Amino acid sequence: MAEKRLIPPDWELKIKWNVKLFYAINSRRSRFLDKFYRYFFRLGKSYTLPVFLPFFYFSGGIEALIHLTVSLLITGIMMPSIKYTFRHQRPSKLLEDVHLLEPVTLKSFPSADAAYAFTLLGVILFYGNPWVDAIFVIYALLIAYGRVYMGAHFPVDVIVGALLGLLSGVAGYWGANWVKKLS
């Protein structure tokens, strides 16, 4: 019995610029970028949080850490909820000639790695100085670009993940202020 879905599993293929941009990024190979992203992409995973905590602590103290915690909780609830609502396949399942640099599982839309990186950026913008902000902007953009370069996501996955991450950073600010008022 075929599963009935409101949203077709190949909806992203109908967005022509999405597929063209995917191929434009994913098909241009570079030895340097291949090697770079084999390691750098791990910084888009939530288990790397301890690497980033000192930036937040020294930029905004405990207040920044609470803000970050609330924002990451929002991102952590949103991402699987949306992924399993859309249940969209990875580019390597839907397209031919995809250069895949990492094994991928779960669903594609939206990019949780981009959401994580942009949540960090969205929070640090409240506390960081221009140099720290610039580091996090570069970091988040490299993660986002890398998700497409590595063949793990379509550009729309990354764009939506980035927007949701930034929104989580803003919502986390309000949530952290609410928590502060309760205590």
Side-chain angles (χ1 to χ4, degrees), residues 176-183:
N177 282 334
W178 182 73
V179 168
K180 194 167 46 171
K181 286 178 186 176
L182 289 177
S183 53

Side-chain angles (χ1 to χ4, degrees), residues 72-166:
L72 288 173
L73 281 171
I74 293 168
T75 302
I77 292 168
M78 257 194 316
M79 286 302 103
S81 301
I82 296 170
K83 277 184 180 289
Y84 286 100
T85 298
F86 282 85
R87 293 180 289 171
H88 191 263
Q89 296 297 313
R90 299 284 182 163
S92 59
K93 297 269 188 187
L94 297 172
L95 299 173
E96 295 179 10
D97 299 322
V98 173
H99 300 279
L100 193 59
L101 294 181
E102 68 166 312
V104 288
T105 58
L106 300 176
K107 304 300 176 198
S108 183
F109 179 84
S111 169
D113 290 14
Y116 171 72
F118 278 86
T119 300
L120 296 180
L121 172 61
V123 172
I124 203 70
L125 289 174
F126 283 88
Y127 306 98
N129 67 42
W131 292 107
V132 173
D133 293 348
I135 289 168
F136 275 85
V137 166
I138 292 166
Y139 154 74
L141 290 173
L142 284 171
I143 290 293
Y145 180 84
R147 302 314 293 150
V148 179
Y149 180 84
M150 295 180 70
H153 288 285
F154 285 102
V156 166
D157 302 341
V158 172
I159 292 166
V160 172
L163 290 173
L164 291 173
L166 288 173

Side-chain angles (χ1 to χ4, degrees), residues 66-68 70-72 74 123 167-177:
I66 293 169
H67 178 179
L68 179 64
V70 172
S71 297
L72 288 173
I74 293 168
V123 172
L167 288 173
S168 293
V170 173
Y173 180 75
W174 293 326
N177 282 334

